Amino acid sequence: MADSLDRILDQWRVERPDLDASPMGVVGRIQRASRLLERGLSEHFATRGLQTWEFDLLATLLRSGSPYQLTAGDLAATSMITSGAITNRIDRLEARSLVRRETDPTNRRSVLITLTDLGREVVDKAMSDHVANEARLIGALRPDEQEQLAGLLRTMLTALGDTPTDARPRRSDHGAP
């Protein structure tokens, strides 16, 4: 079965037979898959009245565990966006009553972003459908192929410098149990 990258690689073989364009096939396929997956996620979240970035931030707060709060810096780090962009996004979620800002009682210079009850309800309801949607999006691959692809992508991402970030506040940060 051929895809659009096969045609592009065939064209390069004709125009530049001296060039090994096979890396273009890998990178191009990852880029195209990313765009198609993003579209599939966006369309799904739109049915829930959410944008992808809204779900991402709400889910980050939820998976951080009780009390479902992080600093704006922690949220920005996990989202790989600037502090100005995270401020704007938090403003928008706060306007929808999905999060609230609170001054950190242990550090008055720090602001905690807390998932509201409504925010938790919204993200909880979206979570099961989100996982089912992702399963649908990668459903052309058998489970063993999905695992293999995840491992290969993990290897590539770590080689490119992607390292884990800890978006869960430490106990001493907030006095939380």
Side-chain angles (χ1 to χ4, degrees), residues 148-161:
Q148 181 183 16
L149 179 59
L152 292 169
L153 291 170
R154 182 182 305 106
T155 299
M156 185 178 75
L157 287 169
T158 56
L160 291 171

Side-chain angles (χ1 to χ4, degrees), residues 13 19 36 40 44 48 50 77 101-103 119 124 142 163 172 175-176:
R13 280 187 206 95
L19 184 68
L36 292 168
H44 170 73
R48 292 243 174 234
L50 291 169
R101 286 182 168 91
E102 303 174 55
T103 302
D124 269 338
R142 295 185 318 266
T163 57
S172 62

Side-chain angles (χ1 to χ4, degrees), residues 7-161:
R7 181 172 180 259
I8 291 168
L9 293 172
D10 287 343
Q11 291 171 325
W12 280 120
R13 280 187 206 95
V14 170
E15 286 303 311
R16 291 288 309 271
D18 61 310
L19 184 68
D20 176 12
S22 59
M24 294 173 79
V26 174
V27 173
R29 285 183 176 98
I30 291 170
Q31 288 176 322
R32 286 174 187 255
S34 176
R35 286 192 291 271
L36 292 168
L37 290 168
E38 187 65 36
R39 183 172 54 193
L41 293 173
S42 295
E43 289 170 355
H44 170 73
F45 289 126
T47 66
R48 292 243 174 234
L50 291 169
Q51 293 182 40
T52 302
W53 68 265
E54 290 173 315
F55 175 82
D56 288 343
L57 291 182
L58 296 173
T60 298
L61 287 166
L62 182 64
R63 70 182 159 84
S64 73
S66 183
Y68 311 111
Q69 61 185 199
L70 297 170
T71 66
D74 288 337
L75 280 172
T78 62
S79 305
M80 295 176 28
I81 58 176
T82 66
S83 60
I86 197 72
T87 298
N88 178 275
R89 290 178 179 192
I90 292 167
D91 288 345
R92 292 168 66 182
L93 291 172
E94 190 174 36
R96 292 185 59 192
S97 300
L98 300 175
V99 301
R100 70 177 174 274
R101 286 182 168 91
E102 303 174 55
T103 302
D104 185 340
T106 64
N107 179 357
R108 293 291 203 200
R109 295 174 295 156
S110 184
V111 175
L112 299 173
I113 311 307
T114 304
L115 192 60
T116 64
D117 289 342
L118 176 61
R120 186 169 177 199
E121 181 182 325
V122 167
V123 72
D124 269 338
K125 285 182 179 177
M127 184 57 70
S128 295
D129 289 345
H130 167 60
V131 172
N133 183 51
E134 285 190 335
R136 179 189 64 80
L137 291 170
I138 63 171
L141 300 174
R142 295 185 318 266
D144 63 306
E145 292 172 324
Q146 293 175 24
E147 188 175 324
Q148 181 183 16
L149 179 59
L152 292 169
L153 291 170
R154 182 182 305 106
T155 299
M156 185 178 75
L157 287 169
T158 56
L160 291 171

